[in-house]
Amino acid sequence: MRFSRSFGRTLREAPADAEMISHQLLIRGNFVRPAGAGIYTFMPFGYRVIRKIWAILAEEMDAIGGQEMWMPNLHPASLWQATGRWDTVDVLMKVKAGGSREYALSATHEEIIVDLALREIESYRDMPRMIYHISKKFRDEPRARGGLMRLREFIMKDAYTLDTSEEALDAYYPSMIQAYYNIFERCGTPARAINADVGAMGGKSSHEFVVPHEQGEDMFIACTNCDYAANVEAAVFVREGEKPDKLNELGKILTPDCKTIADVASFVGVLTSQTLKAVFYWWTPLGEGEENGRFIFGLVRGDLEVNEVKLINALGGGALRPATDDEIKAGGVTPGYASAVGLDVAADLTEPGVFVIADTSIEAGGNFVVGANEAGYHYTGANYPRDFTISQMADIAQADTGRQCAQCGGRIEAQRAIEAGHCFKLGTRYSTAVNATYLDEKGKPQLIFMGSYGIGLDRLMAIIVEKHHDDYGIIWPDSVAPFQVHLMHIGKGDEVRQTADSLYETLQQAGFEVLYDDRKASPGVKFNDADLIGIPWRVTVGGRSLAQGGVEVKRRSQPDRHLVPISELVAMVSN
RNA sequence: CGGGGCGUAGCUCAGUUUGGCAGAGCGCUCGGUUUGGGUCCGAGAGGUCGUCGGUUCGAAUCCGGCCGCCCCGACCA
């Protein structure tokens, strides 16, 4: 590629609204251009990187038996209605055509896959199968952000497995996990697999691949001692603390202006872990309107926080929002001075009364200070179950730095990260919906077991830049670089020009992808562009080096420059 | 969807407080100069000031609606 003919230009300054380094550098380097919020064009340089990542993904998927295919992005509404996701996936973009016809834009491809499985899979002999494709996804993200980090239209590699049983799915799963490790390793962004919440995908379990990053959207927990790691929404931990040997009597004390746990603890003179915290939500079951929801009373030890995703999972799904003051009071609860003591507690979700869901931490300690459900008063010496009842006990507290690891007893630590990939064991969630079955050895119909495995290519490209850059620009890993060699000539003279022209041919004939900066520009402009674009090898032809018998070769990732005889150039950059 | 910020030349931004000829730097074009780290000099092209409406003799500037973009939160397969 001759630079003088490349489409688009590099920018000296990044657009002011580009905040993340990857966003700034990818725009400045002419890799991408925005078309709208969360919508980007991949310019020629950027598309080359995408194709490199594409090749790595395809190789690793093929290596574990994957078959690449290509699925549509326009999905008939009936397919999404069949799985029940037409109305429940709120980021689904829908389009109308021809009057009454409706389509979903491909937010993901489970619907297409399970429909294909229904048609193509008839016998246990037709499985296992692993198929994948790399194509566009469209999601109506309420908030696109971070350049290529969160997009409304993006490129995803998604693979799907079809198996005869859960055992077969389990048996194959580790090879997919290993392929993912290989992929991220090869892209220069080693990622870590962590246990994750299954979210709207449904299914049994999932692993997220995360790359630690301070601006990441994900929070995960990792043990400082062992290999335990999980998304905060799935992380378990030990509630340290014991029930006291001697239970104090329940006593009521005056606690004016003590509406927060910190206020109460300092007023009474106890640690926050000797209090109980109440939080209130309005919960709407899956597929119901808000009017069919109910008031939920969440209870955790005072030094902990409720994790809303854990809480929703404990309730069996649905949606949660903070309760209004009126809803709280309607439950017989006094905001700021709330506790389960004296409440009319519901036995289960079908019964009237206040549904109190408590974290297991309320049993890791005792003689708690709790609200008296009366403004200005708290109880001391409150103990479960002596002084109050609950509706349900569950793990609803958020894991955080300093807590104890459930696996080894060490200390855990919270870290921010970017989600780079996700593997789901879907099980029969989708095959059940459309009755996708096969005949087993005995001729009996059985449901197909599915898995789905995704990696966002654009996001991965951005993560690579986040991890591989310096003050001057991008430093592409060799594996995904748009070109291997950035050739340029600087200075005057026919010899310089002719030497560079012939090296351009030589290098290409030797099999290298070469970006040849043949522009009539000052050396500073060319060097700065080379640093910005970040191609691994830079080859400079100039009068100075030619006089010394060679050309200058520099690795983008290293500071030193080498004078290399032209005859040795190909060998040099082959390493 | 809640909170905050922004919208003026391709890019970065000034001008808006206090209404009065549309500006700078970079980039682009032309001429010259320079030639190993964003050279220097000169001459140019380029803008319905996001959009619609209102106030006014007069609006980029004041008021209102809408649209778009960014950040935080909610959400997130």
Side-chain angles (χ1 to χ4, degrees):
Chain A
M1 175 90 232
R2 283 179 180 267
F3 206 137
S4 61
R5 296 186 193 166
S6 68
F7 178 64
R9 65 181 63 259
T10 58
L11 304 176
R12 191 175 291 207
E13 291 173 286
D17 54 27
E19 197 134 299
M20 291 193 79
I21 299 283
S22 58
H23 193 192
Q24 295 171 7
L25 292 178
L26 288 169
I27 287 176
R28 285 189 52 211
N30 193 26
F31 291 91
V32 298
R33 289 290 181 256
I39 309 169
Y40 284 84
T41 292
F42 284 84
M43 300 295 273
F45 295 171
Y47 187 56
R48 280 176 170 267
V49 176
I50 288 292
R51 294 302 309 200
K52 295 292 167 66
I53 297 173
W54 187 308
I56 290 171
L57 290 166
E59 277 179 35
E60 293 295 334
M61 290 296 102
D62 291 348
I64 55 169
Q67 302 174 50
E68 187 168 9
M69 50 198 271
W70 211 27
M71 290 183 265
N73 299 110
L74 201 54
H75 298 180
S78 60
L79 295 182
W80 283 77
Q81 284 156 353
T83 60
R85 294 208 295 180
W86 179 258
D87 296 310
T88 58
V89 173
D90 53 8
V91 296
L92 190 64
M93 293 200 192
K94 299 165 184 172
V95 293
K96 276 198 169 76
S100 62
R101 273 177 292 137
E102 279 195 290
Y103 300 92
L105 295 184
S106 53
T108 175
H109 284 80
E110 277 80 15
E111 275 68 13
I112 298 290
I113 289 286
V114 78
D115 183 61
L116 284 168
L118 178 65
R119 295 160 197 281
E120 312 296 336
I121 303 288
E122 298 188 293
S123 153
Y124 69 94
R125 297 172 195 275
D126 297 328
M127 287 183 285
R129 293 288 185 273
M130 194 276 262
I131 47 191
Y132 72 96
H133 81 335
I134 295 170
S135 88
K136 287 284 180 92
K137 297 281 187 274
F138 300 86
R139 295 180 188 174
D140 191 14
E141 289 292 346
R143 193 183 146 207
R145 73 179 99 187
L148 299 186
M149 282 300 163
R150 187 127 146 230
L151 298 162
R152 298 218 167 95
E153 174 179 339
F154 58 99
I155 311 165
M156 187 178 223
K157 185 286 301 174
D158 42 324
Y160 301 88
T161 52
L162 303 171
D163 279 293
T164 54
S165 67
E166 183 161 2
E167 292 70 36
L169 172 57
D170 288 348
Y172 182 75
Y173 197 77
S175 59
M176 183 65 78
I177 297 289
Q178 185 57 50
Y180 268 47
Y181 278 121
N182 297 348
I183 288 163
F184 294 118
E185 191 68 38
R186 289 180 64 181
C187 290
T189 55
R192 161 160 208 179
I194 63 173
N195 294 315
D197 180 63
V198 294
M201 290 297 288
K204 279 201 60 186
S205 68
S206 77
H207 284 90
E208 225 175 272
F209 280 79
V210 295
V211 178
H213 190 278
E214 54 289 351
Q215 286 175 76
E217 297 183 59
D218 257 37
M219 186 77 84
F220 79 101
I221 297 296
C223 181
T224 55
N225 183 52
C226 72
D227 63 355
Y228 180 75
N231 190 293
V232 278
E233 295 160 358
V236 295
F237 66 102
V238 175
R239 272 61 163 177
E240 294 174 87
E242 300 292 330
K243 282 195 171 177
D245 295 336
K246 177 177 170 297
L247 299 189
N248 298 339
E249 282 184 25
L250 195 64
K252 195 175 187 179
I253 56 169
L254 185 63
T255 54
D257 298 321
C258 289
K259 293 207 160 191
T260 68
I261 289 291
D263 291 344
V264 175
S266 83
F267 183 84
V268 182
V270 295
L271 297 170
T272 55
S273 57
Q274 283 172 265
T275 67
L276 292 183
K277 180 188 291 180
V279 290
F280 314 107
Y281 296 98
W282 189 262
W283 172 66
T284 306
L286 197 62
E288 298 282 343
E290 203 171 78
E291 67 282 1
N292 294 323
R294 75 178 287 164
F295 177 67
I296 298 290
F297 184 122
L299 194 62
V300 290
R301 205 174 62 192
D303 58 320
L304 294 165
E305 302 292 336
V306 169
N307 181 288
E308 294 183 13
V309 173
K310 281 185 170 184
L311 179 54
I312 288 172
N313 288 338
L315 292 167
L320 218 52
R321 65 160 170 79
T324 63
D325 269 10
D326 287 345
E327 287 160 356
I328 295 169
K329 284 169 187 158
V333 178
T334 308
Y337 293 90
S339 77
V341 179
L343 285 188
D344 174 21
V345 176
D348 61 53
L349 283 168
T350 64
E351 297 289 323
V354 178
F355 191 87
V356 178
I357 182 163
D359 183 68
T360 54
S361 57
I362 69 165
E363 292 196 292
N367 293 328
F368 291 114
V369 176
V370 304
N373 284 321
E374 183 180 343
Y377 293 91
H378 278 80
Y379 289 121
T380 58
N383 289 282
Y384 173 79
R386 186 191 69 184
D387 303 316
F388 61 94
T389 59
I390 62 170
S391 312
Q392 183 184 346
M393 186 76 82
D395 171 9
I396 59 167
Q398 173 142 337
D400 209 343
T401 300
R403 301 291 172 187
Q404 193 177 51
C405 175
Q407 187 167 293
C408 76
R411 292 294 144 192
I412 60 173
E413 201 171 68
Q415 290 180 52
R416 294 202 78 86
I418 299 166
E419 179 186 349
H422 210 146
C423 295
F424 295 90
K425 287 185 187 176
L426 299 173
T428 57
R429 156 76 180 82
Y430 295 92
S431 52
T432 303
V434 302
N435 197 34
T437 60
Y438 65 96
L439 293 181
D440 67 12
E441 294 89 329
K442 293 168 187 154
K444 257 185 73 182
Q446 303 284 357
L447 286 167
I448 296 169
F449 280 76
M450 284 176 57
S452 85
Y453 317 86
I455 291 178
L457 278 77
D458 356 42
R459 181 181 286 186
L460 181 52
M461 177 170 160
I463 295 171
I464 292 166
V465 176
E466 289 290 330
K467 292 290 171 188
H468 298 275
H469 68 269
D470 61 16
D471 290 347
Y472 303 100
I474 300 171
I475 307 170
W476 292 110
D478 297 77
S479 58
V480 297
F483 301 88
Q484 285 93 53
V485 180
H486 189 126
L487 173 68
M488 69 170 82
H489 61 72
I490 55 176
K492 275 205 275 199
D494 289 344
E495 190 195 356
V496 168
R497 179 100 198 187
Q498 283 159 9
T499 304
D501 280 352
S502 83
L503 279 179
Y504 181 46
E505 296 305 323
T506 305
L507 286 164
Q508 286 188 109
Q509 278 162 20
F512 293 100
E513 293 171 292
V514 183
L515 177 63
Y516 175 27
D517 193 344
D518 58 337
R519 297 174 299 174
K520 275 192 266 178
S522 73
V525 169
K526 291 188 171 188
F527 285 131
N528 277 298
D529 271 342
D531 289 343
L532 175 62
I533 294 166
I535 293 165
W537 290 101
R538 189 184 78 191
V539 176
T540 309
V541 181
R544 199 162 85 187
S545 53
L546 282 185
Q548 293 169 44
V551 294
E552 180 193 281
V553 176
K554 180 182 176 298
R555 277 292 268 178
R556 176 64 181 87
S557 57
Q558 288 161 15
D560 38 279
R561 309 164 191 186
H562 305 279
L563 187 73
V564 176
I566 287 170
S567 58
E568 293 170 23
L569 180 61
V570 168
M572 174 87 181
V573 298
S574 294
N575 293 321

